[in-house]
């Protein structure tokens, strides 16, 4: 009996099974961008496995290159009762948590068989999004044409208390009712349990989105 073995793998924003049995991957990438740490990212891991038969478990781990530590981020169990080995393309949703930029890899291994698949990718810290006086002036003149502030709900990881934080292009404008401005140091202490919410990356992603809207308007 042939032993199972890995083929290749990719990361993408979406991976959807089609009626044909094929997997449609949308938004394939090799780099995560971040504006602060710790930060969380989610995506789909899609990989191929050949000669699946019987029962086994595929363990999916995250490892930073140059480090020995590995973190398990997913598990896939298969039970193939077919008389002949089968080949499969498997999409799995995964969630990452990063504490620093650098070169990383996802490792897929069999629990009961020999074999390993490595999928490398990069985590890169981007420059903090800022707005020039000219950009602020243009947005001030077109406040009715695009959002100049964005609200986001953030749940405390410890007690699930919900906060609504707001980021605005105009720093001198008071926050909307029921919202909280992002703290300058990136950390906000939960009023319910004392846990520190790490918000720098979330704020950076929002500012980058606002910056993109500004640049689109300027190009019109």
């Amino acid at each position: 009996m042939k032993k199972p073995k890995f083929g290749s793998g990719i990361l993408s924003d979406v991976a959807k099974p089609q009626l044909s049995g094929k997997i449609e991957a949308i938004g394939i990438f090799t780099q995560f961008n971040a504006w602060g740490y710790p930060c969380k990212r989610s995506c789909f891991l899609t990989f191929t496995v050949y000669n699946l038969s019987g029962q086994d478990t595929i363990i999916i781990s995250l490892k930073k290159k140059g480090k020995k530590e590995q973190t398990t981020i997913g598990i896939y169990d298969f039970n193939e009762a077919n008389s002949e080995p089968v080949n499969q393309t498997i999409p799995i949703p995964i969630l990452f948590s990063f504490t620093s930029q650098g070169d990383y890899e996802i490792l897929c291994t069999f629990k009961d068989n020999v074999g390993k698949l490595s999928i490398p990718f990069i985590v890169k810290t981007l420059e903090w999004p800022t707005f020039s006086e000219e950009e602020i002036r243009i947005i001030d003149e077109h406040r009715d044409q695009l959002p100049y502030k964005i609200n986001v709900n953030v749940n405390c990881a410890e007690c699930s208390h919900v906060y609504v934080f707001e980021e605005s292009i105009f720093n001198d404008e008071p926050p909307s009712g029921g919202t909280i401005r992002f703290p300058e140091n990136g950390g906000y202490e939960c009023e319910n349990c004392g846990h520190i919410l790490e918000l720098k990356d979330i704020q950076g992603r929002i500012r980058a989105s606002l910056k993109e809207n500004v640049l689109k308007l300027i190009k019109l």
Side-chain angles (χ1 to χ4, degrees):
M1 180 72 68
K2 293 183 178 180
K3 297 293 184 179
K5 64 179 182 178
F6 290 105
S8 59
I10 59 170
L11 299 177
S12 64
D13 295 326
V14 179
K16 301 185 296 183
Q18 302 299 300
L19 293 177
S20 63
K22 296 180 179 179
I23 304 298
E24 180 183 24
I26 302 173
I28 298 172
F29 61 89
T30 56
Q31 177 175 304
F32 287 102
N33 296 327
W35 289 266
Y37 303 94
C39 68
K40 292 183 178 180
R41 296 290 184 271
S42 60
C43 69
F44 279 84
L45 165 66
T46 302
F47 58 93
T48 52
V49 185
Y50 300 96
N51 304 325
L52 285 176
S53 62
Q55 298 180 347
D56 205 339
T57 297
I58 295 173
I59 301 172
I60 304 166
S61 304
L62 174 66
K63 179 179 179 295
K64 188 172 186 180
K65 289 191 175 180
K67 302 290 185 180
K68 293 183 178 180
E69 298 81 8
Q70 297 183 23
T71 302
T72 299
I73 58 175
I75 291 177
Y76 178 80
D77 295 311
F78 66 84
N79 184 0
E80 292 296 337
N82 297 315
S83 58
E84 295 294 330
V86 299
N87 306 326
Q88 284 189 10
T89 300
I90 304 168
I92 298 178
I94 51 177
L95 176 68
F96 301 88
S97 182
F98 304 108
T99 58
S100 63
Q101 68 174 359
D103 295 331
Y104 289 80
E105 61 180 334
I106 293 175
L107 298 175
C108 299
T109 56
F110 296 108
K111 180 181 178 181
D112 300 322
N113 284 281
V114 177
K116 181 173 72 173
L117 171 64
S118 173
I119 304 170
F121 64 94
I122 298 170
V123 176
K124 182 178 180 180
T125 306
L126 296 191
E127 184 178 347
W128 189 254
T130 59
F131 300 90
S132 66
E133 292 183 2
E134 177 65 12
E135 289 171 338
I136 293 176
R137 182 190 65 78
I138 292 174
I139 296 304
D140 193 23
E141 294 176 354
H142 299 83
R143 291 194 185 209
D144 59 336
Q145 292 185 241
L146 80 166
Y148 58 89
K149 57 185 176 182
I150 296 178
N151 296 342
V152 60
N153 293 352
V154 179
N155 291 64
C156 175
E158 294 295 325
C159 69
S160 299
H161 188 76
V162 180
Y163 294 92
V164 183
F165 291 93
E166 181 176 271
E167 183 67 12
S168 174
I169 293 176
F170 305 105
N171 295 325
D172 57 348
E173 182 177 274
S176 305
T179 66
I180 307 169
R181 277 292 172 84
F182 282 93
E184 291 187 7
N185 65 359
Y188 186 86
E189 183 177 349
C190 177
E191 301 167 4
N192 194 47
C193 70
H195 176 71
I196 302 300
L197 282 68
E198 300 290 353
L199 304 168
K200 204 66 178 178
D201 177 65
I202 297 175
Q203 183 186 12
R205 294 174 71 179
I206 292 175
R207 290 183 66 86
S209 177
L210 289 169
K211 181 80 171 181
E212 184 179 354
N213 290 337
V214 173
L215 296 177
K216 288 180 180 178
L217 179 62
I218 291 176
K219 291 179 181 179
L220 292 178

